[in-house]
Amino acid sequence: MRLLLVEDNVPLADELNALFSRNGYAVDWYTDGRDAANMAVKEPYDVIVLDLGLPGRPGLSLLEEWREAGLDIPILILTARSSWSERITGLRAGADDYLPKPFHPDELILRLQALVRRRHGQRPSPTLNVGGVTLDENSQTAIRDSNGTPVSLTRAEFAIMRYLMHHPEHVISKDRLLDHLYDSEHERNPNVVEVHINHLRQKLGRGIIVTQRGQGYRFGGDTTP
């Protein structure tokens, strides 16, 4: 999942970057509201974490502009402004969730997972169940119904499985996978995607991910190895 973090507190942003990366998110981080304004509409983010007190442009202004432009990406406000009136203002402006600082990291991750799931029409839960496969976001393991044994995944393998399982009816091109798996600073090597998909097939069966020649990949579900 691709995540846009807009936060001007550098020590906190460093902690958030590490937290999000551990949980399978590719993070682009901006401290200035002017820079973030363009990136949100330019890059294919899956979720945005937005502070309100930003240099350049305030977070509330960004939020209102994005929603007026039709941007439907889930947005979670993460801010020290915790009064009920400020929460109402943020939610009315178009935020999907509002979490005041200080916060517990586990709560933030669970709220993000719920936002992404709701966007894809799935029930909020730490597990994703599609096509006879269960993906546990907390342990980053996958279980096939026909086997029942948890299989540990690397961070990249987990990120690929999660994205494909969120779009089970779609063929996902390699470029689109790269867009959602890597932040804007990473060098994107298409061959790396093939390597990770081959590893997933070795762990979970050849049919778990189907190659559509000339188009990309789609989630195949639980099949016999």
Side-chain angles (χ1 to χ4, degrees), residues 117-152:
R117 289 175 183 281
R118 280 200 293 268
R119 188 187 188 199
H120 294 288
Q122 297 154 346
R123 63 184 181 86
S125 167
T127 59
L128 182 60
N129 303 281
V130 181
V133 177
T134 299
L135 190 69
D136 190 315
E137 299 201 48
N138 293 334
S139 63
Q140 296 194 4
T141 58
I143 303 173
R144 293 185 307 157
D145 289 353
S146 62
N147 182 299
T149 303
V151 176
S152 296

Side-chain angles (χ1 to χ4, degrees), residues 56-204:
R57 286 187 61 185
L60 194 63
S61 171
L62 293 178
L63 175 60
E64 291 171 338
E65 177 182 296
W66 289 337
R67 291 314 192 208
E68 287 174 5
L71 192 72
D72 64 351
I73 299 169
I75 298 175
L76 182 146
I77 291 177
L78 187 67
T79 180
R81 302 177 185 178
S82 58
S83 73
W84 66 267
S85 60
E86 288 167 319
R87 294 189 193 202
I88 289 174
T89 298
L91 294 169
R92 280 180 173 166
D96 297 277
D97 202 352
Y98 195 112
L99 183 61
K101 304 170 185 174
F103 58 91
H104 194 287
D106 289 347
E107 181 181 3
L108 173 57
I109 291 299
L110 289 171
R111 285 174 180 262
L112 290 178
Q113 290 173 355
L115 289 180
V116 172
R117 289 175 183 281
R118 280 200 293 268
R119 188 187 188 199
H120 294 288
Q122 297 154 346
R123 63 184 181 86
S125 167
T127 59
L128 182 60
N129 303 281
V130 181
V133 177
T134 299
L135 190 69
D136 190 315
E137 299 201 48
N138 293 334
S139 63
Q140 296 194 4
T141 58
I143 303 173
R144 293 185 307 157
D145 289 353
S146 62
N147 182 299
T149 303
V151 176
S152 296
L153 305 177
T154 67
R155 190 177 300 171
E157 291 165 357
F158 168 75
I160 289 172
M161 280 290 290
R162 178 169 61 178
Y163 193 76
L164 291 175
M165 290 176 70
H166 274 305
H167 304 83
E169 305 299 324
H170 297 86
V171 176
I172 308 298
S173 70
K174 193 177 295 184
D175 286 342
R176 185 174 169 190
L177 269 181
L178 287 168
D179 280 341
H180 287 271
L181 295 178
Y182 296 101
D183 60 51
S184 58
E185 309 237 335
H186 268 80
E187 182 179 351
R188 303 181 184 189
N189 184 348
N191 294 329
V192 172
V193 172
E194 294 180 16
V195 170
H196 291 313
I197 286 177
N198 284 333
H199 289 166
L200 283 166
R201 288 168 172 163
Q202 291 168 12
K203 291 181 176 183
L204 298 168

Side-chain angles (χ1 to χ4, degrees), residues 2-98:
R2 190 91 177 271
L3 183 149
L4 174 62
L5 171 63
V6 193
E7 170 63 62
D8 67 327
N9 183 320
V10 175
L12 174 59
D14 285 340
E15 293 178 10
L16 290 172
N17 261 302
L19 173 68
F20 296 147
S21 295
R22 285 196 304 272
N23 285 273
Y25 294 92
V27 184
D28 287 335
W29 167 39
Y30 293 90
T31 60
D32 191 292
R34 290 166 296 191
D35 297 328
N38 294 324
M39 291 302 295
V41 296
K42 178 182 175 183
E43 297 290 333
Y45 293 108
D46 297 287
V47 65
I48 296 173
V49 176
L50 176 67
D51 188 15
L52 294 182
L54 297 169
R57 286 187 61 185
L60 194 63
S61 171
L62 293 178
L63 175 60
E64 291 171 338
E65 177 182 296
W66 289 337
R67 291 314 192 208
E68 287 174 5
L71 192 72
D72 64 351
I73 299 169
I75 298 175
L76 182 146
I77 291 177
L78 187 67
T79 180
R81 302 177 185 178
S82 58
S83 73
W84 66 267
S85 60
E86 288 167 319
R87 294 189 193 202
I88 289 174
T89 298
L91 294 169
R92 280 180 173 166
D96 297 277
D97 202 352
Y98 195 112

